[in-house]
Amino acid sequence: MERLLLRNIDRENSNSIETYLSNGGYLSLRKALREMSPGDVIEEVKRSGLRGRGGAGFPTGMKWEFAAADIKEPKFFVCNADEGEPCTFKDRLIIEKDPHALIEGMLIGAYATGCRYGYIYLRGEYPVGRKILERAIGEAYDKGFLGENILGTEFSFDLYIHSGAGAYICGEETALINSLEGRRGEPRIKPPFPVNAGYLWKPTVVNNVETLANIPLIIERGGDWYASIGSPDCPGPKLYPVSGKVKRPGVYELPMGTPLSEIIYEHAGGIVGDRKLKAVFPGGASSSVLTSEEIDVPMDFPSLAKAGTMLGSGAVMVLDETDCIVRASLRLIKFFRHESCGKCTPCREGTDWLVRIVSRIEEGLGSEDDLDTILDISSVMENSFCGLGMAAHNPVVSSVRKFKDEFLKHIKLGRCPFRRS
Ligand code: NAI
Ligand code: SF4
């Protein structure tokens, strides 16, 4: 497939505005401002079928339509660049290698929805990205793409960067907004959704980096063209970060809906040492695990939901036959215990109990009753306040269900069967 989202990354000085402009950069913004009304832009994005690439897959055009319909002023446009999911490193590529695609996507989105101010909420652990974005924003101001009366029109937009402080929960959009306001990074109740009551309780569009990088392409080539790529229900190009026991880990741009088996064996080169694949977390740290018999699934939102897991950020984490599934799920739940904001009991206490129980099983000190307790705790965690707690137990519970024998082996042997000493 022709590279679309990553079309610029191999060019020399790919992140400079000169490189971007000499390859058709900002022509989509020009087209949107000069030839299209805000409503036309929204219609084009709706026609494209673009769904948010942050993890939840909400239709982008619909989100923009809701924000445009709200008449409260001022409105804000926020790019969620707080990429904190373990093994997710796709947005970083765009931020560092093609920042103007992100800025152009934001400008077109702000024009369509009537937003006057924008923020890029950047992961605190991306200091290189911050420097690159600062330079790119400066270049865009110098060329008249940001600021007052952009390209001689009535559209004005100012853009700022806000660095996070290392909390994963601030990638949840309402916690992000709290953090942007200088408050503690804790989620707010939804509804109201940010499109109606976000930053400073004003209409706020929050879109992920990869989502926004699609926008110049859609405006340039049209929604119908975009909708013809990948899965009919969920079209477009998709960035899949692949890590773990594959020969060629990295970020792969492929049509949405590419089979997971093809991503692992063709693009990522198969399993290290030609060992057997054991398990895959197909959509980031909170996705349910798939076994080696389940990897012929198309990597898109509906297909993975049907398979009992989720696409999430699209981060594929591969385990081979020498990996211990108990230890892998323990690492993931430890991450969520550390990152739980502590606001609600099911998540705060549930993640802690899961760590304690899975730890003792991994050490060979567990009992068979522990497996039922894990399932009980997870059913309570489903009632957590936000997505973090609702999904944190997925890797553990799905591992217990699909690899029960391996958990039992730890219990019966009184040790991890994969440990050499
Ligand atoms: P969500 O389903 O609550 O919302 C998705 C988006 O649609 C939000 O922007 C929300 O405001 C909007 N929305 C939903 N219903 C709406 C309505 N009726 N009106 C207006 N707007 C509406 O999901 P959430 O909690 O925002 O995201 C969960 C996902 O985030 C998970 O699938 C997970 O994979 C992903 N995630 C990604 C990370 C990363 O680093 N990329 C980190 C952590 C989680
Ligand atoms: Fe905080 Fe977890 Fe509750 Fe979300 S689910 S509000 S992260 S404690």
Side-chain angles (χ1 to χ4, degrees):
M1 177 188 129
E2 174 196 0
R3 269 185 166 187
L4 297 165
L5 294 169
L6 302 183
R7 64 196 178 284
N8 290 326
I9 65 161
D10 290 329
R11 299 186 201 280
E12 207 175 326
N13 296 324
S14 68
N15 53 28
S16 77
I17 200 160
E18 279 74 27
T19 309
Y20 193 65
L21 287 171
S22 60
N23 290 287
Y26 289 106
L27 286 180
S28 295
L29 175 69
R30 207 173 284 271
K31 180 175 173 185
L33 295 189
R34 299 235 168 107
E35 297 169 28
M36 299 169 84
S37 70
D40 292 340
V41 174
I42 292 177
E43 275 313 309
E44 205 62 51
V45 174
K46 280 174 77 178
R47 196 170 306 131
S48 75
L50 173 65
R51 294 176 59 168
R53 304 300 202 231
F58 192 78
T60 305
M62 196 188 291
K63 189 185 279 191
W64 288 10
E65 194 168 48
F66 290 154
D70 199 313
I71 54 165
K72 292 193 287 298
E73 297 272 352
K75 298 184 196 179
F76 298 96
F77 202 100
V78 175
C79 169
N80 186 345
D82 194 37
E83 184 174 58
E85 184 89 344
C87 301
T88 303
F89 41 87
K90 63 185 180 67
D91 294 342
R92 178 179 169 182
L93 202 58
I94 296 169
I95 292 164
E96 292 185 4
K97 299 283 185 185
D98 202 7
H100 287 286
L102 162 61
I103 295 170
E104 189 176 9
M106 282 189 88
L107 278 157
I108 295 169
Y111 168 69
T113 51
C115 295
R116 175 65 182 81
Y117 302 101
Y119 292 93
I120 299 175
Y121 189 100
L122 182 66
R123 184 176 185 203
E125 294 88 338
Y126 283 175
V128 174
R130 175 154 186 139
K131 281 202 183 116
I132 291 168
L133 280 173
E134 274 170 1
R135 196 187 72 174
I137 289 173
E139 289 172 333
Y141 269 106
D142 289 347
K143 297 272 184 202
F145 297 124
L146 282 169
E148 299 278 333
N149 302 111
I150 294 166
L151 298 176
T153 66
E154 297 203 338
F155 172 59
S156 302
F157 187 65
D158 286 300
L159 181 57
Y160 308 91
I161 306 172
H162 182 102
S163 284
Y168 168 77
I169 190 58
C170 289
E172 195 286 331
E173 60 180 358
T174 58
L176 181 157
I177 288 166
N178 262 0
S179 165
L180 207 53
E181 290 177 0
R183 300 171 198 273
R184 192 180 170 123
E186 280 180 351
R188 297 176 181 174
I189 193 93
K190 291 197 283 192
F193 289 95
V195 283
N196 301 119
Y199 183 56
L200 306 176
W201 299 99
K202 300 290 187 193
T204 304
V205 179
V206 184
N207 281 147
N208 161 266
V209 173
E210 183 188 345
T211 310
L212 292 166
N214 280 279
I215 300 298
L217 283 166
I218 293 170
I219 298 304
E220 180 196 333
R221 303 197 199 181
D224 290 334
W225 163 81
Y226 187 91
S228 69
I229 301 167
S231 304
D233 292 346
C234 181
K238 173 79 191 93
L239 299 182
Y240 297 103
V242 185
S243 62
K245 295 293 183 61
V246 287
K247 288 181 187 164
R248 290 194 299 270
V251 178
Y252 292 93
E253 177 182 344
L254 296 163
M256 182 72 98
T258 302
L260 178 55
S261 50
E262 182 186 318
I263 295 176
I264 295 172
Y265 284 101
E266 286 183 31
H267 303 286
I271 309 300
V272 171
D274 293 322
R275 291 194 288 263
K276 271 199 209 145
L277 182 146
K278 175 181 203 158
V280 187
F281 293 95
S286 45
S287 59
S288 294
V289 73
L290 294 175
T291 65
S292 54
E293 286 81 46
E294 296 173 311
I295 59 167
D296 279 328
V297 61
M299 285 285 284
D300 61 38
F301 291 106
S303 305
L304 283 170
K306 217 165 135 197
T309 181
M310 64 183 192
L311 179 66
S313 61
V316 175
M317 303 190 300
V318 180
L319 274 61
D320 75 20
E321 58 187 333
T322 65
D323 291 317
C324 171
I325 195 84
V326 181
R327 203 179 317 157
S329 57
L330 175 61
R331 279 192 81 109
L332 294 173
I333 194 65
K334 274 187 175 171
F335 169 81
F336 289 118
R337 177 179 69 173
H338 185 258
E339 297 298 339
S340 165
C341 80
K343 175 173 170 144
C344 73
T345 310
C347 169
R348 185 188 60 241
E349 301 301 320
T351 50
D352 187 52
W353 275 106
L354 287 183
V355 169
R356 291 187 201 199
I357 295 170
V358 182
S359 289
R360 69 175 176 244
I361 295 174
E362 201 266 333
E363 287 163 17
L365 302 170
S367 69
E368 283 192 43
D369 288 346
D370 282 340
L371 302 184
D372 293 330
T373 312
I374 288 173
L375 301 184
D376 283 349
I377 292 170
S378 81
S379 65
V380 177
M381 288 177 70
E382 277 163 18
N383 302 310
S384 295
F385 187 82
C386 84
L388 189 153
M390 284 180 215
H393 55 90
N394 285 340
V396 175
V397 170
S398 56
S399 298
V400 169
R401 291 212 169 106
K402 293 186 179 173
F403 294 91
K404 193 169 179 183
D405 285 353
E406 203 166 307
F407 280 79
L408 289 173
K409 213 166 180 181
H410 282 72
I411 293 164
K412 286 184 183 139
L413 282 175
R415 65 176 171 82
C416 172
F418 293 90
R419 276 219 175 118
R420 292 210 186 92
S421 57

